[in-house]
Amino acid sequence: MNHQDQSGFLFILLFSLAIFAFTFLALGCYYETNDDVILTFLLKGVFNKTPILNLTLYLHGFGSLITLLYQNLPQAPWYGLVMYSILFLATVLAFWLIYKQLHNKLSMVITGGLLLLFYLATWYEHIFWFNYSRLPILLAGMAGLWANRIFRVNAAKKKMYFLFPAFLFLIALCVRPSLALFGLALVLPNLLISLQLKTTKVKLLLLVLTGILFFAALTITTLPEQLQYRRYDVLKSQILDYSWYCPPAETLPATLQQEAIAQWFLADTFTLQYLDEQVPDWQYFWQNVAQAKLIQLGKYLVLDHFLTLFLVFVFFIWFVVHQSKRQVFFFCWYHLYFWSIILVTGLFLKIPPRILTPAMSLYLLSHLAWLPENLKITPWRRWPVYVQTLALGLLLVQVYKINHRVASQQQRQKQSEAVWTKIQNNYPGYVVLAAGLENELRAMSPFKNYDLHNQRLIALTSWQTLDPQYQRNWQKLTSATSLGQAIIQLSQLPNVVWVSNPEYLIFLKKYFGAFYHITLEYKFIAHISAPNAPEKLGYYQVRFK
């Protein structure tokens, strides 16, 4: 790295630190969903005071590291610190890539302005509204984009440079393998561009070899019960996330099983039996679901990514006007490829903000590979007035949208932390059985510890209940292997209190009556959330007769 590169890298490093500091101080940092809170509870041992090191689906290797850090320094929010460290790496790489592509073509002021515009258009959301799913997509995308640049620029230089993209891809695979493959697929055309150099063909095999070795190691170390967990996780997603199994149930048991899945009561024997029996109903999907999913995808793009789409549109028009027909042909092919992936993912799978926004970030960054060496940009003052007006208007709307999101997340975090504080301060020494609590754990802070020192919390709902390691939480306290039987036995123990809401308990009463032929009776004790809150979370005494 020469002196100019060192100065540039120092600038990007300081710029990234400033961006993180600004986001934390001015906007705040929040978890997008309760997934990260549940992962923290699993790794720290908040659930049943027993940490789970191997999460099977997520954070391969990182789970053991985070648990070890919690055991030695429990006061620090290690999950958030480790995840944001990985995000910081992705941020530096993204900004450094922009700088390397532009600093010889534009002034430092314009380059800095474009970095800030990129942050406002898409990247702020990764820092402000965090979810672990963003990391593998971004890192795998960075692996592909940096492989393209390293292979083209450093083909005759240090061979160690070629290991860097493979290292990034490995980290992405460790966080969540399926999303790492998705992120790499989004930037695949950039890798194919680099194949024009014969010397890069062997180097590209490093990414493929990394993936093969990772999945081989994962296959060897996976236990049969973990394979079963993966299978049920996929089946659950096909119903809840992908909507492949959609027709209304025709019998009462099937109706209750469908409602159990919708309520995330996943781990009971009768729910698992329903998952095993289902097959996709594509006719119903096309007639009743496909259009709604496409409309939802369109709303996400228009309402959340209008500024990104505007920047891409401006670049597209400029490229078509100034570049050769051959270049325009391949450029259009790239756009067709990208939007085909987004369309297929949004239609047949699921593409919420934690998936779509990283994809749009990579979409913007991928355009850097198409910039010509002799780039000449028309000065801003010479742009048409209507373009200037539209650009400034969209930028102001984006700032307004960010401000609105900040207010919404602050309010949501305040409500969630109030609920958690009440749970911390009540019923010391009790076993707390929670059904529906995870719906209240949203917009929590990555940099706070949410401990539970005086109670033993066992969550009966959400995706982690499918993990056989987590199921041992209730198996240790009962002789039951079925979740339903375990709930019946746990409710008979002394010093047990439920955290739930009336709607959920009404469902459980019908469920246990239909499948276990036993009557569930519940008695309200006290409110946890505000009485007018939609979740109506409270303490309950539950008995079976």
Side-chain angles (χ1 to χ4, degrees):
M1 186 181 290
N2 57 39
H3 177 71
Q4 185 180 16
D5 282 346
Q6 290 176 352
S7 300
F9 184 76
L10 180 60
F11 166 74
I12 291 300
L13 191 63
L14 294 175
F15 185 87
S16 301
L17 286 170
I19 285 297
F20 268 68
F22 169 79
T23 306
F24 177 76
L25 296 174
L27 307 182
C29 296
Y30 309 87
Y31 284 136
E32 180 182 346
T33 69
N34 55 33
D35 292 339
D36 293 280
V37 178
I38 293 174
L39 287 170
T40 304
F41 286 2
L42 291 171
L43 294 171
K44 194 173 185 180
V46 173
F47 289 130
N48 202 39
K49 301 187 181 300
T50 305
I52 296 177
L53 281 69
N54 184 355
L55 297 174
T56 304
L57 305 177
Y58 324 88
L59 303 177
H60 302 285
F62 287 103
S64 299
L65 171 64
I66 294 171
T67 298
L68 180 65
L69 290 170
Y70 273 127
Q71 290 174 343
N72 287 276
L73 290 170
Q75 297 81 11
W78 286 114
Y79 178 86
L81 292 175
V82 172
M83 293 297 102
Y84 267 77
S85 297
I86 301 174
L87 179 60
F88 183 76
L89 171 63
T91 302
V92 171
L93 291 172
F95 289 171
W96 181 231
L97 184 66
I98 295 173
Y99 177 86
K100 292 290 287 184
Q101 290 289 106
L102 297 180
H103 80 282
N104 288 330
K105 304 176 179 70
L106 304 172
S107 68
M108 181 64 78
V109 174
I110 295 178
T111 301
L114 290 175
L115 287 169
L116 187 58
L117 182 61
F118 175 69
Y119 165 78
L120 290 173
T122 177
W123 205 269
Y124 88 92
E125 187 179 295
H126 308 316
I127 310 171
F128 162 75
W129 211 26
F130 182 83
N131 183 273
Y132 79 94
S133 301
R134 299 174 184 267
L135 297 181
I137 301 174
L138 293 174
L139 278 181
M142 288 297 105
L145 293 174
W146 271 100
N148 176 44
R149 177 168 180 84
I150 290 173
F151 294 155
R152 297 177 68 182
V153 177
N154 297 312
K157 295 183 180 181
K158 295 180 180 179
K159 304 303 181 185
M160 290 296 294
Y161 287 162
F162 301 116
L163 296 176
F164 184 61
F167 172 71
L168 295 177
F169 187 45
L170 178 61
I171 297 176
L173 288 168
C174 289
V175 177
R176 187 68 190 262
S178 59
L179 294 179
L181 295 177
F182 175 73
L184 189 63
L186 291 173
V187 299
L188 185 60
N190 297 78
L191 286 171
L192 296 178
I193 291 173
S194 69
L195 283 173
Q196 296 172 4
L197 297 175
K198 294 181 180 180
T199 55
T200 66
K201 294 182 180 179
V202 176
K203 309 301 187 297
L204 282 173
L205 291 177
L206 283 173
L207 293 176
V208 177
L209 183 61
T210 300
I212 292 174
L213 292 176
F214 174 84
F215 283 105
L218 193 62
T219 301
I220 293 172
T221 57
T222 299
L223 301 174
E225 63 178 11
Q226 293 175 315
L227 287 175
Q228 185 81 325
Y229 171 30
R230 285 196 185 121
R231 176 174 169 272
Y232 280 124
D233 184 74
V234 171
L235 292 175
K236 170 266 298 177
S237 296
Q238 289 173 355
I239 295 178
L240 289 174
D241 298 330
Y242 312 153
S243 301
W244 291 358
Y245 311 91
C246 313
E250 298 179 354
T251 64
L252 177 61
T255 300
L256 290 172
Q257 287 169 314
Q258 280 191 356
E259 187 176 356
I261 295 171
Q263 298 274 14
W264 292 86
F265 189 68
L266 302 173
D268 186 55
T269 301
F270 296 100
T271 309
L272 297 177
Q273 177 185 339
Y274 182 83
L275 289 174
D276 285 326
E277 294 171 350
Q278 299 310 298
V279 293
D281 188 329
W282 294 114
Q283 181 178 357
Y284 188 91
F285 177 86
W286 287 112
Q287 291 177 351
N288 299 276
V289 178
Q291 183 179 359
K293 294 186 77 173
L294 291 176
I295 291 174
Q296 183 62 57
L297 174 59
K299 287 181 178 179
Y300 279 146
L301 288 169
V302 173
L303 298 179
D304 293 342
H305 298 285
F306 53 85
L307 186 54
T308 299
L309 293 175
F310 173 76
L311 294 174
V312 169
F313 177 75
V314 170
F315 186 94
F316 187 89
I317 297 300
W318 175 86
F319 194 88
V320 170
V321 171
H322 291 88
Q323 301 304 308
S324 67
K325 291 183 179 180
R326 183 176 182 273
Q327 289 173 311
V328 170
F329 171 78
F330 285 109
F331 188 59
C332 291
W333 177 86
Y334 161 70
H335 280 268
L336 178 63
Y337 170 86
F338 176 85
W339 287 111
S340 296
I341 291 180
I342 297 300
L343 181 63
V344 168
T345 305
L347 179 61
F348 292 106
L349 302 176
K350 183 180 180 181
I351 193 161
R354 55 190 174 276
I355 306 297
L356 182 58
T357 303
M360 297 302 289
S361 297
L362 297 177
Y363 184 45
L364 269 181
L365 289 170
S366 294
H367 285 71
L368 294 171
W370 300 91
L371 289 175
E373 292 298 325
N374 57 344
L375 176 66
K376 293 182 180 179
I377 296 181
T378 303
W380 167 258
R381 62 181 179 276
R382 294 175 56 186
W383 287 28
V385 175
Y386 66 89
V387 176
Q388 294 180 1
T389 304
L390 181 59
L392 290 174
L394 291 176
L395 187 59
L396 290 174
V397 172
Q398 179 74 350
V399 172
Y400 172 81
K401 186 192 76 174
I402 293 173
N403 184 64
H404 176 75
R405 269 188 173 176
V406 170
S408 174
Q409 293 301 300
Q410 286 177 341
Q411 180 63 25
R412 181 66 194 185
Q413 185 180 93
K414 183 178 179 181
Q415 294 173 357
S416 298
E417 290 184 344
V419 166
W420 189 249
T421 299
K422 287 187 177 180
I423 293 176
Q424 286 177 314
N425 295 336
N426 289 286
Y427 292 95
Y430 272 62
V431 174
V432 179
L433 301 181
L437 171 63
E438 66 277 0
N439 293 324
E440 280 282 7
L441 303 181
R442 300 182 186 275
M444 307 290 264
S445 172
F447 302 113
K448 293 181 182 179
N449 266 331
Y450 300 101
D451 295 314
L452 199 64
H453 298 297
N454 301 319
Q455 302 87 353
R456 174 175 286 183
L457 174 65
I458 300 179
L460 306 175
T461 52
S462 199
W463 51 264
Q464 84 283 352
T465 58
L466 293 171
D467 189 340
Q469 298 173 94
Y470 181 84
Q471 292 171 7
R472 296 188 185 104
N473 287 343
W474 62 71
Q475 292 169 357
K476 290 177 182 178
L477 299 175
T478 69
S479 59
T481 55
S482 165
L483 176 59
Q485 290 291 350
I487 289 174
I488 294 171
Q489 293 184 31
L490 287 170
S491 297
Q492 311 306 321
L493 297 176
N495 296 335
V496 171
V497 68
W498 278 62
V499 170
S500 191
N501 58 69
E503 289 80 6
Y504 208 106
L505 291 171
I506 290 172
F507 151 70
L508 287 178
K509 183 173 184 177
K510 293 186 292 184
Y511 184 91
F512 277 91
F515 292 108
Y516 289 92
H517 309 293
I518 192 170
T519 301
L520 182 152
E521 296 181 352
Y522 62 92
K523 178 183 178 182
F524 173 75
I525 300 174
H527 287 291
I528 297 177
S529 58
N532 59 348
E535 289 82 4
K536 298 181 175 63
L537 202 68
Y539 284 111
Y540 290 85
Q541 183 185 64
V542 174
R543 291 289 182 265
F544 290 89
K545 296 183 179 179

